[in-house]
């Protein structure tokens, strides 16, 4: 009958569709397995950041203002070369408490690092900071790989402790005063380095309520900036400041922020590099009588 013929045709059509789908799935599976096997056995020809080792060989301590030397060792454990390699070293230019977020950036062109090779690069730079402070360096490796214009980056952090500072700041002054009382601050700047300090600048940020009266020597700019010039090794400079605290209240604490460093060539009121910074705290306390 015609109905049995139609159902037979439908059966064979469905069987044909399932068979084609099965063959397509089988071919897709075989191709996927072949690609996975190819990538597995090829594996090492791809470049991975995990197969790049960056080591820093050198001291983790340095005197502020003195040369810091270390070696950056780059090992390429990939089976392909690293091309157009650049080594970038970023480090803070000024002290950690100066409030100046200046960063030095040194770029060194290395070129190619072949597969399995080790490349050593000698680095020399100068750090500043307070004694005992940590200075964070960021070492970056920029590179390209064959067949790609993309730039890849591998980073390595490195921390150095400042063992001493080139300019020591000391303050002789009261730590507790009454409102309207005269304040005398004697500030001493001493060079603690075998190299002379040039264009020495001292700047004091006064707290709210402090009224400047006079100083010896007189300020070079305004009432809070002193250009002290050059200081020889072992040399000292002193600044004596006289003032008062007005419109202050019992229990308040007032901070004098004292910074020293190299004066900018373009702006005499600014630092090019801050060597050191110190806070002198004075508490306000009303007398009992």
């Amino acid at each position: 009958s015609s109905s049995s013929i139609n159902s037979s045709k439908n059966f064979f059509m469905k069987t044909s569709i399932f068979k084609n789908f099965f063959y397509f799935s089988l071919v897709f599976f075989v191709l996927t397995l072949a690609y996975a096997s190819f990538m597995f056995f090829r594996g090492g020809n791809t470049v991975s950041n995990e197969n790049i080792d960056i080591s820093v060989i050198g001291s983790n301590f340095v005197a502020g203002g003195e040369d810091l030397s270390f070696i950056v060792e780059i090992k390429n454990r990939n089976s392909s070369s690293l091309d157009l390699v650049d080594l970038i070293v970023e480090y803070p230019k000024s002290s950690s408490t100066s409030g100046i977020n200046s960063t030095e950036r040194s770029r060194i062109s290395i070129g190619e690092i072949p597969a399995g090779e080790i490349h050593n690069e000698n680095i020399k730079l100068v750090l500043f900071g307070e004694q005992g402070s940590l200075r964070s360096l960021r070492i970056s490796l920029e590179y390209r790989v064959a067949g790609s214009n993309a730039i890849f980056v591998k980073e390595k952090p490195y921390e150095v402790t400042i063992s001493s500072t080139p300019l020591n700041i000391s303050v002789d002054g009261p730590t507790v005063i009454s409102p309207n009382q005269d304040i005398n601050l004697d500030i001493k700047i001493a060079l603690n380095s075998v190299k002379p300090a040039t264009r020495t600048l001292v700047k004091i940020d006064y707290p709210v309520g402090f009224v400047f009266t006079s100083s010896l020597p007189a300020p070079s700019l305004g009432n809070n900036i002193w250009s002290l010039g050059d200081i020889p090794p072992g040399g000292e400079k002193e600044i004596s400041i006289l003032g008062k605290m007005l419109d202050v209240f019992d229990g308040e604490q007032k901070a004098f922020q004292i910074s020293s460093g190299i004066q900018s060539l373009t702006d005499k009121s600014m630092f090019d590099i801050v060597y050191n910074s110190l806070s002198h705290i004075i508490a306000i306390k009303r007398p009992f009588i």
Side-chain angles (χ1 to χ4, degrees):
S1 64
S2 60
S3 62
S4 62
I5 293 173
N6 288 335
S7 55
S8 177
K9 285 183 179 180
N10 290 335
F11 173 80
F12 284 113
M13 285 179 64
K14 289 181 180 179
T15 303
S16 178
I17 291 173
F18 285 127
K19 187 181 295 183
N20 289 337
F21 179 77
F22 172 77
Y23 288 146
F24 174 79
S25 300
L26 183 61
V27 171
F28 180 79
F29 174 77
V30 171
L31 290 175
T32 303
L33 184 62
Y35 178 76
S37 301
F38 170 75
M39 292 303 294
F40 176 79
F41 290 108
R42 178 176 177 269
N45 289 330
T46 60
V47 173
S48 168
N49 259 355
E50 298 300 318
N51 291 329
I52 300 173
D53 299 327
I54 300 177
S55 303
V56 179
I57 305 169
S59 175
N60 291 100
F61 295 87
V62 69
E66 301 293 330
D67 290 338
L68 170 66
S69 298
F70 56 91
I71 297 172
V72 177
E73 181 185 86
I74 306 161
K75 185 176 182 179
N76 179 17
R77 294 190 289 105
N78 293 283
S79 62
S80 296
S81 65
L82 308 180
D83 300 330
L84 299 175
V85 180
D86 280 354
L87 180 67
I88 299 104
V89 181
E90 295 176 276
Y91 57 97
K93 184 178 179 181
S94 295
S95 71
S96 57
T97 59
S98 65
I100 300 176
N101 296 320
S102 56
T103 301
E104 286 288 310
R105 196 169 191 264
S106 177
R107 179 181 288 268
I108 302 167
S109 179
I110 295 175
E112 180 187 3
I113 302 180
E117 293 291 318
I118 296 176
H119 178 87
N120 291 327
E121 196 69 40
N122 294 309
I123 306 295
K124 181 180 289 187
L125 49 86
V126 178
L127 298 177
F128 298 99
E130 299 70 40
Q131 185 171 345
S133 65
L134 279 176
R135 314 304 282 140
S136 297
L137 287 70
R138 185 169 66 180
I139 299 169
S140 305
L141 193 73
E142 292 185 358
Y143 64 92
R144 297 184 183 184
V145 296
S148 174
N149 290 325
I151 298 176
F152 302 93
V153 180
K154 171 87 173 186
E155 293 187 350
K156 169 76 174 181
Y158 180 49
E159 287 190 334
V160 178
T161 300
I162 302 297
S163 58
S164 64
T165 182
L167 283 180
N168 289 331
I169 302 174
S170 60
V171 181
D172 183 13
T175 55
V176 179
I177 63 165
S178 301
N180 301 320
Q181 179 184 340
D182 286 339
I183 301 174
N184 184 249
L185 295 177
D186 291 320
I187 301 168
K188 182 182 293 184
I189 308 296
L191 183 62
N192 180 32
S193 173
V194 295
K195 299 179 181 178
T198 59
R199 306 195 321 270
T200 305
L201 185 73
V202 173
K203 186 176 183 179
I204 304 176
D205 292 325
Y206 299 126
V208 175
F210 177 77
V211 178
F212 175 87
T213 303
S214 63
S215 74
L216 188 66
S220 305
L221 289 170
N223 63 4
N224 68 329
I225 296 174
W226 289 262
S227 297
L228 302 181
D230 298 345
I231 303 178
E236 293 181 351
K237 298 280 187 175
E238 293 186 7
I239 302 171
S240 182
I241 299 171
L242 181 64
K244 285 187 176 184
M245 296 298 301
L246 302 178
D247 298 323
V248 292
F249 303 96
D250 187 36
E252 284 189 294
Q253 288 191 330
K254 298 296 183 177
F256 293 77
Q257 188 70 30
I258 306 160
S259 301
S260 65
I262 299 177
Q263 187 178 41
S264 170
L265 290 172
T266 57
D267 188 342
K268 301 299 182 183
S269 66
M270 299 297 293
F271 290 101
D272 183 29
I273 298 175
V274 177
Y275 285 150
N276 200 359
S277 195
L278 174 72
S279 288
H280 181 71
I281 309 296
I282 296 179
I284 308 300
K285 187 174 183 180
R286 290 189 176 276
F288 290 109
I289 300 177

